[in-house]
Amino acid sequence: MIKYEPVHIQKWLLPFSWLYGLIVYIRNKFFDWGILKHEEFDIPVICIGNLTIGGTGKTPHTEYLIQILKDKYKVGVLSRGYKRKSKGFVLADSNSTSFDLGDESFQIKHKFPDIIVAVDRNRRRGIKKMLALDNPPEIILLDDAFQHRYVKPSYTIILSDYNRPVYEDALLPAGRMREPFSALSKANMIVVTKCPADLQPIDYRIISHDINAFPFQELYFTQFKYKQLQPLFKDEATEKPLNYLNGKNILLVTGIASPKMILKKLSQYTEKVSTIKYSDHYNFKSKDIKYISNKFRNITSENKLILVTEKDAMRLIARDDIDDDIKKSIYYLPIEVSFLDKQEDFKAKIYKHIRENFYRKTDKKK
């Protein structure tokens, strides 16, 4: 049976949530009535978004789409570049850093250097600039753009965290929802993410019943799998298998929405885990590096390492204030999306949509 904890709603903030909901409703109606204008494009534009703030796994699912599409099409990825230091439209290149792109976009470019990655808070302008390139993308993936209605995507995938079901949540600020539950009706696909591997048939039925997807919508269930341990600084250390963690003293440093998933994974290998937690997308400062280094050096065992998430690694890799003796001890754990069922069906639906929209674009040019 379903094992997630009850969703905590700050009930005293519900009056403010009702006011927030009214503002969201009016804004959406302005788009529906044509008072605020959206724009469509002649190539497939796939939006990967959610109804809540943070933590559903948009970037890993965007990476999964890149993986299945990049050998067939010229793929472009556009996001706002959350917490970057740059302004306006920025096209990623080999010299880009997380300060230019934000950690998530930099992570994508780091893993897939041959695709087009750009950031722009104004998605409509960003798409136009990408299409104006000498070798423009044939497909654009919009990372976290469901609320950006100035662009009308050709296909929309909405993610929902298994551990915080959208049908039990509330609008901001009482809950974590940016859009009401009814906004799920705009999705072509709904993906329940971060599912446990042992999800039972009755769990599928309960979640499917509560989400109550429309007949035209597809519902999928995914989990995250950890890959091999990667050294943050490849000149200092080498890739290690997961069982390298066995019995290690681990200093876990996180700047993500919730470290629960990685802590659960580490518990399979060792009980000796100390944690330093920062806020999501935290920009590490020199004083943080010193604090982390000192805490690590104070661990008396020689059988130790510093572990960070892949997203945190993207913000640490460009720093020049990490001592050499610390560099060789920092590793990160990449994650990848794994479907619990219907993976081939998911791929088929995506390929079908792209074929139909890609050839329609080609026909317009004839």
Side-chain angles (χ1 to χ4, degrees):
M1 290 291 291
I2 294 175
K3 309 176 184 68
Y4 54 74
E5 297 176 1
V7 173
H8 176 65
I9 305 296
Q10 300 184 72
K11 293 183 179 180
W12 66 279
L13 289 173
L14 282 172
F16 298 100
S17 295
W18 299 331
L19 177 60
Y20 173 83
L22 177 62
I23 294 170
V24 170
Y25 175 81
I26 293 172
R27 178 180 182 269
N28 285 333
K29 281 299 179 184
F30 279 4
F31 279 103
D32 295 340
W33 294 333
I35 298 172
L36 294 175
K37 304 293 185 182
H38 64 247
E39 189 165 354
E40 296 182 69
F41 294 89
D42 288 338
I43 67 168
V45 176
I46 300 176
C47 172
I48 304 96
N50 59 15
L51 304 186
T52 60
I53 53 170
T56 56
K58 292 182 296 296
T59 300
H61 284 79
T62 300
E63 291 176 348
Y64 179 82
L65 286 168
I66 295 168
Q67 192 67 54
I68 66 173
L69 295 175
K70 65 182 179 65
D71 294 333
K72 297 175 179 289
Y73 303 98
K74 184 72 174 177
V75 177
V77 177
L78 178 67
S79 75
R80 64 178 289 192
Y82 185 61
K83 284 203 171 182
R84 61 188 169 116
K85 301 298 184 183
S86 60
K87 301 293 184 182
F89 176 83
V90 177
L91 182 67
D93 59 28
S94 58
N95 296 316
S96 298
T97 69
S98 62
F99 296 106
D100 305 315
L101 306 175
D103 50 17
E104 292 164 335
S105 296
F106 177 66
Q107 176 179 312
I108 290 171
K109 186 63 177 177
H110 184 74
K111 292 173 82 167
F112 303 99
D114 295 332
I115 72 164
I116 300 170
V117 177
V119 294
D120 197 335
R121 186 181 183 88
N122 184 329
R123 307 304 207 289
R124 183 164 51 185
R125 178 180 63 193
I127 292 175
K128 289 178 179 179
K129 285 184 173 290
M130 293 174 79
L131 294 180
L133 295 172
D134 290 337
N135 188 15
E138 298 172 317
I139 300 161
I140 291 180
L141 305 178
L142 291 180
D143 187 3
D144 192 17
F146 182 64
Q147 284 73 33
H148 190 88
R149 291 198 59 186
Y150 290 98
V151 171
K152 185 177 182 180
S154 61
Y155 207 76
T156 298
I157 302 171
I158 296 295
L159 310 182
S160 174
D161 186 346
Y162 166 88
N163 300 288
R164 192 178 178 97
V166 288
Y167 46 80
E168 292 187 3
D169 212 336
L171 287 170
L172 291 166
R176 297 184 62 187
M177 295 186 72
R178 296 186 283 183
E179 298 265 351
F181 176 63
S182 59
L184 273 184
S185 63
K186 298 186 180 79
N188 299 96
M189 285 182 177
I190 302 166
V191 182
V192 181
T193 68
K194 301 184 181 180
C195 296
D198 60 348
L199 205 63
Q200 300 299 308
I202 190 172
D203 298 328
Y204 288 103
R205 291 196 294 271
I206 291 172
I207 296 171
S208 299
H209 174 270
D210 290 337
I211 287 179
N212 193 25
F214 287 98
F216 66 86
Q217 295 175 314
E218 301 292 337
L219 180 60
Y220 300 94
F221 297 82
T222 64
Q223 62 177 321
F224 290 151
K225 286 190 175 180
Y226 287 102
K227 301 171 73 176
Q228 302 271 68
L229 278 167
Q230 298 294 324
L232 181 60
F233 300 97
K234 295 191 181 296
D235 293 339
E236 304 291 336
T238 58
E239 181 182 282
K240 305 289 185 185
L242 285 176
N243 60 17
Y244 181 72
L245 297 170
N246 285 335
K248 285 280 193 298
N249 284 267
I250 296 174
L251 178 60
L252 176 65
V253 180
T254 62
I256 58 175
S258 172
K260 285 183 179 179
M261 190 175 76
I262 192 169
L263 283 168
K264 183 178 180 181
K265 186 65 178 179
L266 292 179
S267 68
Q268 299 175 16
Y269 298 94
T270 181
E271 298 177 353
K272 306 167 188 175
V273 180
S274 303
T275 60
I276 302 176
K277 300 177 185 177
Y278 296 98
S279 58
D280 197 15
H281 298 278
Y282 184 77
N283 283 317
F284 296 97
K285 305 174 180 64
S286 293
K287 66 177 182 179
D288 302 314
I289 301 302
K290 290 179 181 177
Y291 177 72
I292 293 166
S293 299
N294 289 335
K295 186 159 184 177
F296 182 67
R297 290 185 178 115
N298 287 335
I299 298 175
T300 55
S301 171
E302 293 298 318
N303 191 28
K304 60 183 179 179
L305 60 82
I306 297 173
L307 189 64
V308 300
T309 67
E310 188 171 18
K311 191 165 70 171
D312 294 314
M314 299 303 106
R315 280 176 267 123
L316 289 168
I317 196 168
R319 297 197 66 92
D320 58 4
D321 55 353
I322 302 176
D323 294 336
D324 290 341
D325 66 313
I326 299 297
K327 281 184 177 180
K328 65 183 181 182
S329 299
I330 306 179
Y331 288 82
Y332 66 92
L333 269 178
I335 59 175
E336 64 180 4
V337 168
S338 175
F339 280 72
L340 297 185
D341 67 344
K342 301 196 299 184
Q343 177 171 331
E344 294 306 314
D345 179 72
F346 176 89
K347 291 181 182 179
K349 293 290 193 303
I350 295 295
Y351 292 147
K352 180 176 185 291
H353 169 75
I354 290 172
R355 282 197 306 271
E356 291 173 349
N357 285 269
F358 182 79
Y359 291 129
R360 187 178 302 137
K361 177 207 74 171
T362 305
D363 290 342
K364 285 184 178 181
K365 290 187 173 181
K366 289 181 179 179

